[in-house]
Amino acid sequence: MSQPEFKYLPKLRKKLFEVVFGTDTRAGKLFDIVLLWAIVLSVLSVMLESVSEIKERFGYALFISEWLFTILFTIEYTLRLTITAKPKKYAFSFLGIVDLLALLPTYLTLVVAGGSYLVVIRSIRLLRIFRILKLGRYLREASVLSNALSASRHKILVFLGAVVTLVMIMGTLMYMIEGGESGFTSIPRSIYWAIVTVTTVGYGDIAPQTVFGQFVASALMLMGYAIIAVPTGIVTTELANAEKEKKESEAKRACSECGKSGHERDAVYCKYCSAKL
Amino acid sequence: MSQPEFKYLPKLRKKLFEVVFGTDTRAGKLFDIVLLWAIVLSVLSVMLESVSEIKERFGYALFISEWLFTILFTIEYTLRLTITAKPKKYAFSFLGIVDLLALLPTYLTLVVAGGSYLVVIRSIRLLRIFRILKLGRYLREASVLSNALSASRHKILVFLGAVVTLVMIMGTLMYMIEGGESGFTSIPRSIYWAIVTVTTVGYGDIAPQTVFGQFVASALMLMGYAIIAVPTGIVTTELANAEKEKKESEAKRACSECGKSGHERDAVYCKYCSAKL
Amino acid sequence: MSQPEFKYLPKLRKKLFEVVFGTDTRAGKLFDIVLLWAIVLSVLSVMLESVSEIKERFGYALFISEWLFTILFTIEYTLRLTITAKPKKYAFSFLGIVDLLALLPTYLTLVVAGGSYLVVIRSIRLLRIFRILKLGRYLREASVLSNALSASRHKILVFLGAVVTLVMIMGTLMYMIEGGESGFTSIPRSIYWAIVTVTTVGYGDIAPQTVFGQFVASALMLMGYAIIAVPTGIVTTELANAEKEKKESEAKRACSECGKSGHERDAVYCKYCSAKL
Amino acid sequence: MSQPEFKYLPKLRKKLFEVVFGTDTRAGKLFDIVLLWAIVLSVLSVMLESVSEIKERFGYALFISEWLFTILFTIEYTLRLTITAKPKKYAFSFLGIVDLLALLPTYLTLVVAGGSYLVVIRSIRLLRIFRILKLGRYLREASVLSNALSASRHKILVFLGAVVTLVMIMGTLMYMIEGGESGFTSIPRSIYWAIVTVTTVGYGDIAPQTVFGQFVASALMLMGYAIIAVPTGIVTTELANAEKEKKESEAKRACSECGKSGHERDAVYCKYCSAKL
């Protein structure tokens, strides 16, 4: 290749990088919006394919569109890999792995049949929508949420352990009380019923018929009613803590020019005197 | 028109304004109560019309009453438009738009059939009840609630995004596991099942029958159980913040006579020394 | 009557008062426990009478026992009225009215048939159990709970108003979408379905069958999922406030002897130096 | 026995104690993990035995494996009793009682038939898993949870009392309204329905059919919707208190060397200067 081309390439690459990875430029925003619509349509076409009447009538069109979208996304993935400066970092990032996983199912159907529904994994790519909206705001909120959830994971594990032990014992008890007639045909099935009941889902496909069984079930329901308060209490307390910490860290961040505090963590300029923080 | 009539008209208009828009005078209160009962009766008559036995017996009476109420509300709407000083402001206010929407369905039935049930939109007009009760108190509480909800909208959107992605993936998974026999006939229907399950509604019209399906469903239920803690935690935290801010703003509002603070935001006189605030 | 009898009567009355109304003496405690068991047995016999197999076999015994209990409670009620110094105050107190209402149903069956099940109102008398347990402690907790609920009643009314409007509109919408085939036979019935769904009860006796109906139902469920966070948030905030106020009022109550604070509102002696507060 | 053996025995006992009760050494950890898998497999085999197809094919193998596990756990229990210095303390501790209860069901089958399913009580032994994970952390969280729950037990009892009274009255009411046709065949059954409804489980095996019954049921659902807020509020408030107290007690615990506070309750060394606390 000649020298000019060498000069030209980095420019094109930079331009492409702005379009594909960026969201600030007009072209970058447009790229993201088109991509989102492509993801929506591709996920939608997989879903519609599973409806038998639609598959009979539009099966071929849906088959074609699925391959078109897959080829499109393959090009996009290759592009992302080639134009980023650190292809490894992208390939092993959360979004990078999801991008790859979203391609595989369609190619898999060439080898094994029936895997095409896995394409629904593409819906995770829809989380890209938060990039188009005011990204920072949502990421901040999501990080408050995930911090709170991760701070409460020990408590929630203890709680889940207690719930699992409870449903195992109550399920076995109900199996012994009700016997096979009212749907409690085995212990695993009775445990499934206990989970359906304690979480207040209550399908009703399995329900106690004997008086004593209904009594035990009532006790389990009232327990479930009280138990649901526990994870709520845990998450609320941790969320309140996370909010407080966020506020305190904002209160600590003072402007070196005017001395006023209360700047958000990702603010770059002081909101009172516009000095750089 | 003669001069006296010109003088008389503004007076009548003012009087009418007090009756129609005001709630302080005896006549204004009476007007609001009569209006509320008219709305209740009109909504009730639409509902009863949908019960086939009642329609057969009282169909004609209900038809007449619907038109009577509609004409009554049309007169009221015209009156409101003519006597207010700013008809445009009223017409485009929330209550003004609802008042108009509450009229349209009946007139629509002259053109298209079957639209008459839309009259149920009149039930939004029942919110006028808060005007008759101590208005300020309820508006204040409603504003605390809506502030808290609007402050938590980013977190709730992030949360809803995660829930939607979860039900799409779990729904597809269940479609692949269960197949069409136990009701999981298509992916959209399986996603509908996943929503019914994760929100703990649990109709039971679609329920997993295979052991593995029940295992995955149990996992989804326990997830739903933990997930429901998140919006509760968000709203509770924001409500506590909103309450705190309300108290702080009340604490800041001091009486210039006696110096005592703690006056509610809409108080006009000091509650300790009766001086005007 | 002779003079000695006059002297004797107030003593007997005082003694009886201690037994019937008091809980501190041995006899008073015993009276309360016997009474509670009588209430439990009487409510239980009414319940069992409704089970047809039991009524066939033990109908006569249950009929006799119901009259025995009623006569017993009538004697108790008359006793309470005569020995208390303020019969009017007792008769119109909450417990007094419940005591009277618990008698009436059985006498009513002499005039009208079928009213005997109203005897179940006696179960409210079971709340007397809190008198036997450490009374003060539970009354205090109950008052914290009821204060919190009453402080949040304006917010909860606003919230219930919004929910009622929502279910009316969604119910009508579903009636228009689904038609009568899948159980949505009238608007009132559809509103009943909307309440069953938004509260996440989900019986499944009425469930949408069309794709669009399931889509609207899913939206309603997700709304119900978010909406349930609101009353929880309200009650939690108010409970936290009530707890805080209780603590503050305890912190204010200082002993005049040793100066230490933190005494509970109903404490009579200082818990650090035993001086009377 | 000779002198050397006497010397040797305490050493072996100490070694065994480390393996059986300890979790710090490599052997102790391995022992716990093997034990956990044995518990899991043993509980699983009991569950599978209840599935009729599996029992037919693998019944004998499951029977053998159950006895093998039981003999294994009997040896383990005897070992624990003999090597600990205080056998009585272990035998009457929570874990000790559970260990014994986990053995009995299998031996019981020698005398009475059908008791073998009680073996599921072994699942409580799975709580040993928290010993293998960072024990202290989970015990601390579990103690925060149980403190909060025990602090709120008075409020929760008052609440449960109110709920039980409510379902008894509403159940009877629905029995009187609906009669036996739609499943409300007796008062106990109607009370069971009321519990199923108020806890938002909603099986749908019993559901009101009359218009008035559906109206009363709707009221009960909306009540249940508001009522569920109460235990959540109680637990959240107490959890927040427990968290606060934990932090305050950590804030009070200062290092005597560097003076810094904020050490967790079970910390042995200062995390800032490594001095012993």
Side-chain angles (χ1 to χ4, degrees):
Chain A
M1 269 173 261
S2 62
Q3 197 68 5
E5 257 196 289
F6 260 102
K7 265 188 192 154
Y8 181 65
L9 255 176
K11 254 194 185 165
L12 177 71
R13 197 171 158 175
K14 209 189 154 190
K15 186 76 215 256
L16 267 172
F17 185 86
E18 266 178 34
V19 172
V20 174
F21 281 93
T23 52
D24 294 333
T25 60
R26 207 189 149 85
K29 218 165 199 168
L30 195 74
F31 178 84
D32 272 356
I33 289 171
V34 168
L35 184 62
L36 267 181
W37 277 108
I39 297 170
V40 168
L41 288 176
S42 128
V43 169
L44 220 67
S45 81
V46 173
M47 288 186 179
L48 292 178
E49 210 192 325
S50 73
V51 186
S52 53
E53 301 105 72
I54 292 176
K55 196 176 183 179
E56 268 166 38
R57 288 182 60 184
F58 305 105
Y60 191 69
L62 289 170
F63 176 81
I64 296 292
S65 81
E66 195 183 317
W67 273 105
L68 276 180
F69 281 123
T70 305
I71 289 161
L72 202 82
F73 293 145
T74 311
I75 294 168
E76 182 222 342
Y77 183 71
T78 324
L79 206 66
R80 280 182 192 269
L81 267 185
T82 48
I83 61 175
T84 183
K86 298 169 182 170
K88 264 200 178 168
K89 207 188 150 191
Y90 164 72
F92 290 103
S93 71
F94 175 70
L95 284 175
I97 291 169
V98 169
D99 287 355
L100 182 61
L101 284 178
L103 297 174
L104 294 184
T106 319
Y107 291 114
L108 216 79
T109 52
L110 295 179
V111 192
V112 202
S116 74
Y117 296 128
L118 291 166
V119 167
V120 92
I121 214 168
R122 274 178 196 162
S123 57
I124 303 180
R125 295 197 72 191
L126 290 175
L127 295 178
R128 280 180 184 276
I129 204 166
F130 292 118
R131 287 177 58 91
I132 298 177
L133 305 167
K134 271 192 219 145
L135 180 69
R137 169 130 242 157
Y138 287 95
L139 277 190
R140 226 165 29 238
E141 300 292 6
S143 93
V144 168
L145 274 185
S146 71
N147 280 352
L149 287 178
S150 114
S152 52
R153 78 179 176 284
H154 293 290
K155 278 206 206 70
I156 285 187
L157 272 179
V158 170
F159 167 75
L160 272 185
V163 168
V164 166
T165 311
L166 178 72
V167 295
M168 280 171 80
I169 290 171
M170 294 300 273
T172 309
L173 204 63
M174 287 300 283
Y175 172 69
M176 289 164 71
I177 294 170
E178 286 280 324
E181 277 144 57
S182 44
F184 295 83
T185 47
S186 69
I187 291 183
R189 210 171 143 82
S190 300
I191 290 172
Y192 165 70
W193 167 86
I195 293 173
V196 169
T197 298
V198 95
T199 55
T200 78
V201 171
Y203 286 134
D205 51 348
I206 316 172
Q209 295 302 330
T210 65
V211 174
F212 190 50
Q214 292 181 343
F215 184 79
V216 174
S218 300
L220 185 62
M221 282 168 216
L222 287 174
M223 270 187 248
Y225 204 48
I227 282 174
I228 209 171
V230 177
T232 311
I234 294 168
V235 172
T236 306
T237 313
E238 293 300 340
L239 261 178
N241 282 350
E243 281 285 329
K244 222 166 130 194
E245 270 164 31
K246 202 185 104 189
K247 265 184 196 159
E248 274 165 15
S249 85
E250 280 175 22
K252 275 180 195 151
R253 198 171 183 214
C255 170
S256 54
E257 284 294 318
C258 65
K260 278 180 184 158
S261 64
H263 304 291
E264 289 174 354
R265 255 175 295 180
D266 58 347
V268 181
Y269 297 100
C270 171
K271 57 184 171 184
Y272 301 108
C273 69
S274 87
K276 197 152 190 175
L277 288 167
Chain B
M1 271 174 260
S2 60
Q3 197 66 6
E5 258 197 287
F6 259 102
K7 265 185 190 156
Y8 181 67
L9 253 176
K11 254 193 184 166
L12 178 71
R13 195 172 160 176
K14 209 190 153 190
K15 185 74 214 257
L16 267 172
F17 185 86
E18 266 177 33
V19 171
V20 174
F21 281 94
T23 53
D24 294 333
T25 62
R26 207 188 147 85
K29 218 164 200 169
L30 194 74
F31 179 85
D32 272 357
I33 289 171
V34 168
L35 183 63
L36 266 182
W37 277 108
I39 298 170
V40 168
L41 287 176
S42 128
V43 169
L44 221 67
S45 80
V46 175
M47 288 187 180
L48 291 178
E49 211 192 324
S50 74
V51 185
S52 52
E53 302 106 73
I54 291 176
K55 197 177 184 179
E56 268 167 38
R57 288 182 61 182
F58 305 104
Y60 191 67
L62 289 170
F63 177 81
I64 295 292
S65 82
E66 195 182 318
W67 273 104
L68 277 180
F69 281 123
T70 305
I71 289 162
L72 202 83
F73 293 145
T74 312
I75 294 168
E76 182 223 341
Y77 184 70
T78 324
L79 205 67
R80 281 182 191 269
L81 266 184
T82 48
I83 62 175
T84 185
K86 297 169 182 169
K88 263 200 178 168
K89 208 189 148 190
Y90 164 70
F92 291 103
S93 71
F94 175 69
L95 284 175
I97 291 169
V98 170
D99 288 354
L100 183 61
L101 285 178
L103 297 174
L104 295 185
T106 320
Y107 292 113
L108 215 79
T109 52
L110 294 179
V111 193
V112 201
S116 74
Y117 295 128
L118 290 167
V119 167
V120 92
I121 213 166
R122 272 177 198 164
S123 57
I124 303 180
R125 296 196 72 190
L126 290 175
L127 294 178
R128 279 180 185 277
I129 204 165
F130 291 118
R131 287 177 58 92
I132 298 176
L133 303 167
K134 272 193 219 146
L135 180 68
R137 170 131 239 155
Y138 287 95
L139 278 189
R140 235 178 7 249
E141 300 292 6
S143 93
V144 168
L145 275 183
S146 71
N147 280 353
L149 287 178
S150 114
S152 51
R153 75 179 178 285
H154 292 290
K155 277 207 206 72
I156 284 186
L157 273 178
V158 169
F159 168 76
L160 273 186
V163 168
V164 167
T165 311
L166 178 72
V167 294
M168 280 170 80
I169 290 171
M170 292 302 271
T172 310
L173 204 63
M174 285 302 282
Y175 172 71
M176 289 164 71
I177 293 170
E178 286 281 325
E181 277 144 57
S182 43
F184 296 82
T185 47
S186 69
I187 291 183
R189 209 172 144 83
S190 301
I191 290 172
Y192 164 72
W193 168 86
I195 293 172
V196 169
T197 298
V198 94
T199 56
T200 78
V201 170
Y203 286 133
D205 52 347
I206 316 171
Q209 296 301 330
T210 65
V211 174
F212 190 50
Q214 293 181 342
F215 185 79
V216 173
S218 299
L220 185 62
M221 282 169 216
L222 287 174
M223 269 187 247
Y225 204 49
I227 283 173
I228 209 172
V230 177
T232 309
I234 294 169
V235 172
T236 305
T237 313
E238 292 300 341
L239 261 178
N241 282 350
E243 282 283 328
K244 221 167 131 194
E245 269 164 32
K246 203 184 102 190
K247 265 184 198 162
E248 273 165 15
S249 85
E250 280 175 21
K252 274 179 196 151
R253 198 170 181 215
C255 169
S256 55
E257 285 292 319
C258 66
K260 278 181 183 157
S261 64
H263 305 289
E264 289 174 352
R265 255 175 295 180
D266 57 348
V268 183
Y269 297 101
C270 170
K271 57 182 170 184
Y272 301 108
C273 69
S274 87
K276 198 151 190 174
L277 288 168
Chain C
M1 270 172 259
S2 62
Q3 197 67 7
E5 257 197 287
F6 260 103
K7 265 186 190 156
Y8 181 68
L9 254 175
K11 255 193 183 165
L12 177 73
R13 196 174 160 174
K14 209 189 154 190
K15 186 75 215 255
L16 268 171
F17 185 86
E18 266 178 34
V19 172
V20 174
F21 281 94
T23 52
D24 294 333
T25 62
R26 207 188 147 85
K29 219 165 198 168
L30 195 75
F31 178 84
D32 273 356
I33 290 171
V34 169
L35 184 62
L36 267 181
W37 276 109
I39 297 169
V40 167
L41 288 176
S42 128
V43 169
L44 220 67
S45 80
V46 174
M47 288 185 179
L48 292 178
E49 211 192 323
S50 74
V51 185
S52 51
E53 303 106 71
I54 291 176
K55 196 177 182 181
E56 268 166 37
R57 287 183 60 182
F58 306 105
Y60 190 68
L62 290 169
F63 176 81
I64 295 293
S65 82
E66 194 183 319
W67 273 104
L68 276 180
F69 281 123
T70 306
I71 288 163
L72 202 84
F73 293 146
T74 312
I75 293 169
E76 182 222 342
Y77 184 69
T78 323
L79 205 68
R80 281 183 191 267
L81 267 184
T82 48
I83 62 174
T84 183
K86 297 168 182 169
K88 264 199 177 168
K89 209 189 149 190
Y90 165 70
F92 290 103
S93 71
F94 175 69
L95 284 175
I97 290 169
V98 169
D99 288 354
L100 183 61
L101 285 178
L103 298 174
L104 295 184
T106 319
Y107 292 113
L108 216 79
T109 52
L110 295 179
V111 193
V112 202
S116 75
Y117 296 128
L118 290 166
V119 167
V120 91
I121 213 167
R122 274 179 197 162
S123 58
I124 303 180
R125 295 196 72 191
L126 290 175
L127 294 178
R128 278 178 186 279
I129 205 165
F130 292 119
R131 286 175 60 90
I132 298 177
L133 304 167
K134 271 193 221 144
L135 180 70
R137 170 131 239 155
Y138 287 95
L139 278 189
R140 237 179 6 250
E141 300 293 6
S143 93
V144 168
L145 275 184
S146 71
N147 281 352
L149 287 178
S150 115
S152 52
R153 75 178 178 285
H154 293 290
K155 278 206 206 70
I156 284 187
L157 273 179
V158 169
F159 168 75
L160 272 185
V163 168
V164 167
T165 311
L166 177 73
V167 295
M168 281 170 80
I169 290 170
M170 293 301 272
T172 309
L173 204 64
M174 286 302 282
Y175 172 70
M176 289 165 71
I177 293 169
E178 285 281 325
E181 278 144 57
S182 42
F184 297 82
T185 46
S186 68
I187 291 183
R189 210 172 144 82
S190 301
I191 290 171
Y192 165 72
W193 168 85
I195 293 173
V196 169
T197 299
V198 94
T199 56
T200 77
V201 171
Y203 286 133
D205 51 347
I206 317 172
Q209 296 301 329
T210 65
V211 174
F212 190 50
Q214 293 181 343
F215 184 79
V216 174
S218 299
L220 185 62
M221 281 169 219
L222 287 174
M223 268 186 248
Y225 204 48
I227 282 173
I228 209 171
V230 177
T232 309
I234 294 169
V235 172
T236 306
T237 313
E238 293 300 340
L239 261 180
N241 282 349
E243 282 284 329
K244 220 167 131 193
E245 269 163 32
K246 202 184 102 190
K247 265 184 198 163
E248 273 164 14
S249 86
E250 279 175 21
K252 274 179 198 151
R253 199 172 180 212
C255 170
S256 54
E257 285 292 318
C258 66
K260 278 178 182 157
S261 64
H263 304 292
E264 289 175 352
R265 254 175 296 179
D266 57 348
V268 181
Y269 297 101
C270 171
K271 58 184 170 184
Y272 301 108
C273 70
S274 87
K276 198 151 190 174
L277 287 167
Chain D
M1 271 172 258
S2 62
Q3 196 68 5
E5 257 197 287
F6 260 103
K7 264 186 193 156
Y8 181 66
L9 254 176
K11 253 193 184 165
L12 177 72
R13 198 173 156 174
K14 209 189 154 190
K15 186 75 215 256
L16 268 172
F17 185 86
E18 266 177 35
V19 172
V20 175
F21 282 94
T23 52
D24 293 333
T25 61
R26 207 187 148 86
K29 219 166 198 168
L30 195 74
F31 179 84
D32 273 354
I33 290 171
V34 168
L35 184 62
L36 267 181
W37 276 108
I39 297 170
V40 167
L41 288 176
S42 129
V43 169
L44 220 68
S45 80
V46 174
M47 289 186 178
L48 292 178
E49 210 192 325
S50 73
V51 185
S52 52
E53 302 106 71
I54 292 176
K55 198 179 181 177
E56 268 165 39
R57 287 182 62 183
F58 306 106
Y60 190 69
L62 289 170
F63 177 81
I64 296 292
S65 81
E66 195 183 318
W67 274 105
L68 276 180
F69 280 124
T70 305
I71 289 162
L72 202 82
F73 292 147
T74 311
I75 294 168
E76 182 222 342
Y77 184 69
T78 323
L79 206 67
R80 280 184 192 266
L81 266 185
T82 48
I83 62 175
T84 183
K86 297 169 183 170
K88 263 197 178 170
K89 207 189 150 191
Y90 164 70
F92 291 102
S93 71
F94 176 69
L95 283 175
I97 291 168
V98 170
D99 287 355
L100 182 62
L101 284 178
L103 297 174
L104 295 184
T106 319
Y107 292 114
L108 216 78
T109 53
L110 295 179
V111 193
V112 203
S116 74
Y117 296 129
L118 290 167
V119 167
V120 92
I121 214 167
R122 275 180 196 160
S123 57
I124 303 180
R125 296 196 72 191
L126 290 174
L127 295 179
R128 279 179 185 278
I129 204 165
F130 292 119
R131 286 176 58 90
I132 298 177
L133 304 167
K134 271 193 220 146
L135 179 71
R137 170 132 240 155
Y138 287 95
L139 277 190
R140 231 172 18 243
E141 300 293 6
S143 91
V144 168
L145 275 185
S146 71
N147 280 352
L149 287 179
S150 114
S152 51
R153 76 178 177 285
H154 293 289
K155 278 206 206 71
I156 284 187
L157 273 178
V158 170
F159 168 75
L160 272 185
V163 168
V164 166
T165 310
L166 177 73
V167 295
M168 280 170 80
I169 290 171
M170 293 302 271
T172 310
L173 204 64
M174 286 301 282
Y175 173 69
M176 289 164 72
I177 293 169
E178 285 280 325
E181 277 144 57
S182 43
F184 296 82
T185 47
S186 68
I187 291 183
R189 212 172 141 82
S190 302
I191 290 172
Y192 165 72
W193 168 85
I195 293 173
V196 169
T197 299
V198 95
T199 55
T200 77
V201 171
Y203 286 133
D205 51 347
I206 316 172
Q209 296 302 329
T210 65
V211 174
F212 189 51
Q214 292 181 343
F215 185 78
V216 173
S218 300
L220 185 62
M221 281 168 217
L222 288 174
M223 269 186 248
Y225 204 48
I227 282 174
I228 210 170
V230 177
T232 310
I234 293 169
V235 173
T236 307
T237 313
E238 293 300 339
L239 262 179
N241 282 350
E243 282 284 329
K244 221 167 132 193
E245 270 164 31
K246 202 184 103 190
K247 265 184 197 161
E248 274 164 15
S249 85
E250 280 174 20
K252 274 178 197 153
R253 198 169 182 217
C255 170
S256 55
E257 285 293 318
C258 66
K260 277 179 183 159
S261 63
H263 304 292
E264 289 174 353
R265 256 176 294 179
D266 57 348
V268 181
Y269 297 100
C270 171
K271 58 184 171 185
Y272 301 108
C273 70
S274 86
K276 197 153 191 173
L277 286 168

